[in-house]
Amino acid sequence: MPVNGVAMTAIGVAIIRARESEREDRLYDDPQAKDFVAAARAGFEPERWARVEALADQFYDGRTIGVRLVDERFQEAVAAGCRQIVLLGAGLDTRAYRMGLPADLHVYEIDLPELFAFKEPVLAATAATSTCHRHVVTADLRGDWRKPLLESGFDPAVPTYWVDEGCLGYLNQDWNRQVVATLTELSAPGSRFGAGRMVIDPDAPRYRDLRRLVAGDDAPEPAPNPPLADFDVEQWLNDIGWNTEFRSWNDMTAHLDRPAGRLDSRIGNIAAFRR
Ligand SMILES: C[S@@+](CC[C@H](N)C(=O)[O-])C[C@H]1O[C@@H](n2cnc3c(N)ncnc32)[C@H](O)[C@@H]1O
């Protein structure tokens, strides 16, 4: 049970997906999210659980819309012919079960051992079956994850959609670049990747609370990742073999019947397509 450390953040997102799934006007339905939440709650001290729930509350509005946007990118990638999807820091994601994905699609979920030690028994206890091939890849993205991915059956010759949904932000910039360089080498032409472009205030209370909860109360005050000074992500992606297209948050959310808030027009997603 990941009650500490970065794997715990996946539980917060499951709380958000469970809550969304109960709404009549839901943006997606994730029936297993409530099972993860129930199993996790049983392992937390009540005070710590209340803090996880309070943080899920604070992140709910934006994060739940973000889940829906990734669902849409998933469907676009599958329709465009990607037959492999790799979730970087998959957490408690259940898209392999809930999206009716085609049987010839392979979904590779990469995450830390403590995450899967919690996730797999909870999934096994539900009646859910995945509609596509699902592969669990236990690896640390700060180490050699290429080898376990290849050993799981990943084929670098097949166009792949790579998903970072709230994971790379937990790695420092050197590791981020290393991860993207590796996935670039593993990407056949036609592969896709999305990189968030955000403007956040790392000193805002919710980000400080999140860092504190992840680090543990006995650890020294954790510092935020330093911003990417003078580093143009779009230019770099173009230089290493991707064509990019920026989509603003405001444009991506305009069709949703949900107040998404108008954000700074520089905030959004850099969609990258492998040449
Ligand atoms: C905020 S959660 C998001 C999970 C999932 N993508 C979602 O949206 O529900 C971040 C995930 O990244 C994983 N993660 C963070 N650092 C990692 C690393 N170095 N290697 C593998 N996984 C990592 C955590 O274990 C956690 O499951």
Side-chain angles (χ1 to χ4, degrees):
M1 164 75 60
V3 294
N4 269 314
V6 74
M8 188 214 67
T9 60
I11 294 170
V13 194
I15 293 174
I16 289 171
R17 286 196 290 259
R19 183 185 306 174
E20 181 71 33
S21 302
E22 283 172 1
R23 291 175 64 140
E24 275 183 20
D25 65 344
R26 57 185 163 262
L27 298 172
Y28 52 86
D29 189 16
D30 183 354
Q32 274 103 45
K34 66 175 182 333
D35 300 324
F36 292 126
V37 173
R41 184 189 283 121
F44 273 73
E45 295 294 328
E47 184 269 344
R48 203 166 161 75
W49 183 257
R51 287 167 64 190
V52 177
E53 284 198 319
L55 267 172
D57 265 358
Q58 292 176 53
F59 283 98
Y60 175 80
D61 289 331
R63 193 61 164 88
T64 200
I65 290 172
V67 174
R68 165 62 181 258
L69 296 180
V70 174
D71 283 3
E72 293 177 5
R73 298 295 89 77
F74 240 76
Q75 278 154 346
E76 284 172 10
V78 172
C82 290
R83 281 298 172 268
Q84 291 182 140
I85 299 189
V86 179
L87 303 173
L88 304 163
L92 302 173
D93 189 289
T94 60
R95 290 191 174 91
Y97 297 80
R98 70 178 173 82
M99 286 189 64
L101 296 170
D104 64 342
L105 184 82
H106 291 258
V107 173
Y108 296 87
E109 300 188 4
I110 303 180
D111 212 298
L112 298 167
E114 58 270 33
L115 184 284
F116 288 120
F118 171 67
K119 181 176 189 175
E120 295 312 293
V122 176
L123 277 179
T126 70
T129 47
S130 59
T131 57
C132 58
H133 300 277
R134 172 177 179 259
H135 307 263
V136 168
V137 184
T138 303
D140 190 327
L141 290 162
R142 295 163 300 180
D144 179 11
W145 54 274
R146 169 207 292 260
K147 187 163 176 277
L149 181 63
L150 291 170
E151 285 172 356
S152 302
F154 177 88
D155 181 354
V158 174
T160 300
Y161 174 43
W162 302 87
V163 181
D164 167 35
E165 192 179 13
C167 173
L168 294 186
Y170 289 97
L171 273 55
N172 71 27
Q173 301 309 340
D174 288 344
W175 281 116
N176 266 311
R177 260 178 264 192
Q178 187 58 55
V179 168
V180 177
T182 301
L183 71 82
T184 299
E185 286 168 22
L186 293 172
S187 290
S191 297
R192 294 163 173 236
F193 174 57
R197 194 204 278 159
M198 295 186 265
V199 181
I200 63 166
D201 171 9
D203 288 322
R206 65 180 184 162
Y207 289 105
R208 297 186 74 154
D209 289 351
L210 178 60
R211 290 199 298 275
R212 162 63 56 216
L213 201 62
V214 168
D217 292 327
D218 299 331
E221 170 84 24
N225 270 343
L228 272 180
D230 299 329
F231 181 64
D232 184 336
V233 177
E234 250 178 291
Q235 183 60 54
W236 181 63
L237 286 171
N238 276 283
D239 290 346
I240 63 172
W242 301 85
N243 293 333
T244 61
E245 190 180 288
F246 177 70
R247 299 164 175 171
S248 76
W249 170 265
N250 298 334
D251 287 348
M252 289 189 297
T253 58
H255 68 293
L256 297 177
D257 187 19
R258 185 70 64 92
R262 302 264 323 154
L263 299 184
D264 184 322
S265 60
R266 290 168 302 168
I267 294 175
N269 188 266
I270 301 164
F273 305 89
R274 186 81 164 104
R275 292 193 288 271

